[in-house]
Amino acid sequence: MLKSKKRIGVLFVAALALLVFGVAGFAQKHFMLAAAARPEVKIQLAGAVERNSSAVLLEKATVVNPGEILDWTITSENAGNAAAIEYKTVGHIPKGTTFVADSAKADGAKTVYSIDGGKSYSAQPMIEVKQADGAVKRVPAPVSMYTEIRYEWADPLAQGGKVSASYKVRVS
């Protein structure tokens, strides 16, 4: 009778171990499948300088001169296996340059701007200006104060999908 109880105990422990490892393996497999379904957005930034009615890639331009216009293009491609929800990308306005008004373009994206290094964004950044009578008035910030441009797509960036955005800056 004691041997029989030992066998039942050993079988019970073995069955319990199989059950625990089986559930753990099942959970791990399903967790890994769920974790594997994720977006992987690859971003490429390209720049060109406008010269003599043509565009010269920045890699090939040895010098950029004051007054010249730089065209920036941000291309984002989702190489993952799930859509990128609420996808956003940011373009920086380099020091020594000024954003060219109305040059931000991106199909299907809302464009917002920052004047504080990317801490906050607005479709129309505002500043406070002291008036001659001492009153303070809120007015639109000049484009010379813009530091970043953010493009926000409402539609998910699908697996294999690609979007691009562009903007221009003038060299100071």
Side-chain angles (χ1 to χ4, degrees), residues 129-137:
V129 175
K130 193 170 188 176
Q131 304 297 302
D133 64 0
V136 175
K137 183 178 178 183

Side-chain angles (χ1 to χ4, degrees), residues 101-115:
D102 301 321
S103 67
K105 308 281 186 245
D107 287 340
K110 176 178 138 182
T111 306
V112 291
Y113 307 92
S114 177
I115 59 172

Side-chain angles (χ1 to χ4, degrees), residues 30-163:
H30 281 77
F31 176 74
M32 291 187 87
L33 286 175
R38 63 175 197 197
E40 183 182 332
V41 180
K42 297 184 179 188
I43 302 169
Q44 182 177 26
L45 176 65
V49 60
E50 294 178 5
R51 254 187 213 151
N52 303 324
S53 301
S54 64
V56 177
L57 293 177
L58 283 180
E59 301 89 56
K60 296 187 179 191
T62 55
V63 176
V64 291
N65 301 306
E68 289 185 313
I69 302 288
L70 303 178
D71 294 327
W72 293 105
T73 301
I74 305 167
T75 305
S76 304
E77 184 172 7
N78 186 355
N81 55 9
I85 310 292
E86 297 179 10
Y87 181 66
K88 300 172 184 156
T89 191
V90 175
H92 181 68
I93 299 168
K95 288 193 187 291
T97 67
T98 302
F99 175 71
V100 175
D102 301 321
S103 67
K105 308 281 186 245
D107 287 340
K110 176 178 138 182
T111 306
V112 291
Y113 307 92
S114 177
I115 59 172
D116 59 10
K119 293 177 188 158
S120 64
Y121 288 88
S122 170
Q124 177 63 73
M126 303 292 280
I127 59 171
E128 292 181 351
V129 175
K130 193 170 188 176
Q131 304 297 302
D133 64 0
V136 175
K137 183 178 178 183
R138 289 184 53 83
V139 299
V143 295
S144 62
M145 292 183 71
Y146 289 13
T147 58
E148 271 83 24
I149 302 168
R150 185 169 71 193
Y151 301 92
E152 303 172 349
W153 283 268
D155 294 334
L157 179 54
Q159 175 184 353
K162 193 179 207 178
V163 292

